[in-house]
Amino acid sequence: MDRAAGAAIFDVDGTLTDTNHLHVVAWWEAFRQAGHTVPMPDIHRAVGLGSEDLIERLLGRDRDRDQDSAISSAHTVLYGTYFDRLPAFAGAGDLLRTLAGRGWQVVLATSASGPELAALRRAVDADEAIRDTASSDDVDEGKPSPEPVELALELAGTDASRGVFVGDTVWDMEAASRAGVRAVALLSGGIPRADLEAAGADAVFRDAADLLAHLDDSPFGREQG
């Protein structure tokens, strides 16, 4: 189905790279160092939020906010120890290259930035297919705010009616829904199908390779509005 298409917007952690549980462990240790015991399942469900929102969700609004910067910095340092070996999901790079070859403008929308984003892009190894990136440095509010998706649409030079967002968390699905683009969920981040559908997923696939194998039966293979 080689024709001019719209914006193919991708989350990265848990969607293109198998990194959600690395984030869980890094956040768990960062909280532990600050004197907090936070269950890993709770951290897992919060992955995908920006650092400030994640800390507030897990520690509450009445927390000692003076700790926030130290906790976030500890997570950054701990997660950084994995940068030289971050794993991409099978088919992730091929998925981006295939979409770009079909005329889609591929844009990443991620809370990662700086060296972390660079490490993730190296893992995916498909820079030739990526038009641009909307990172946490580029927006005032991260997902579930629609701002990262809206910026990605702007970078792709198209509107919401011609956008598809692929992610793995409820925050991704909510951001896509609020931005007015179709939402594709992948189960590779470990979030249940029912939760993703309740948050607005229009289609659900096992992982990047599964989406690639069924591309013509996905929102990427259907006529744009």
Side-chain angles (χ1 to χ4, degrees):
M1 200 167 191
D2 298 321
R3 56 173 175 77
I9 306 167
F10 281 84
D11 171 64
V12 182
D13 285 302
T15 301
L16 298 174
T17 58
D18 191 8
T19 48
N20 278 8
H21 290 86
L22 299 179
H23 276 295
V24 170
V25 171
W27 278 116
W28 176 84
E29 176 61 18
F31 284 123
R32 190 197 68 80
Q33 290 178 8
H36 302 284
T37 301
V38 182
M40 289 194 190
D42 292 349
I43 298 173
H44 179 219
R45 286 190 290 272
V47 167
L49 293 172
S51 294
E52 183 178 343
D53 291 335
L54 182 146
I55 293 169
E56 180 162 309
R57 179 177 178 85
L58 294 170
L59 297 185
R61 293 186 177 181
D62 59 349
R63 69 192 182 282
D64 178 3
R65 294 174 184 266
D66 290 341
Q67 290 188 320
D68 285 11
S69 179
I71 293 171
S72 180
S73 295
H75 164 265
T76 298
V77 171
L78 290 160
Y79 185 67
T81 64
Y82 299 113
F83 280 2
D84 63 348
R85 57 193 187 281
L86 295 179
F89 283 114
D94 289 339
L95 174 59
L96 300 190
R97 283 186 286 269
T98 298
L99 288 168
R102 293 184 177 199
W104 290 87
Q105 302 300 314
V106 177
V107 181
L108 306 182
T110 173
S111 59
S113 63
E116 178 184 348
L117 178 57
L120 291 167
R121 291 185 65 150
R122 286 196 300 273
V124 176
D125 193 23
D127 273 358
E128 71 277 13
I130 299 170
R131 170 167 174 160
D132 218 324
T133 300
S135 78
S136 60
D137 289 337
D138 305 316
V139 297
D140 293 324
E141 292 186 70
K143 296 172 280 187
S145 162
E147 188 177 353
V149 182
E150 292 168 347
L151 176 58
L153 290 169
E154 181 181 335
L155 293 169
T158 190
D159 59 30
S161 69
R162 297 178 64 77
V164 180
F165 182 77
V166 183
D168 67 294
T169 69
V170 295
W171 322 118
D172 293 328
M173 300 303 102
E174 291 177 6
S177 297
R178 293 175 184 177
V181 305
R182 286 163 299 166
V184 173
L186 303 185
L187 299 174
S188 47
I191 302 301
R193 175 188 294 266
D195 292 355
L196 295 166
E197 290 177 338
D202 296 300
V204 181
F205 296 88
R206 185 178 64 252
D207 52 23
D210 187 38
L211 174 56
L212 177 59
H214 298 93
L215 208 54
D216 289 334
D217 298 319
S218 78
F220 289 111
R222 301 168 193 158
E223 288 296 327
Q224 302 288 301

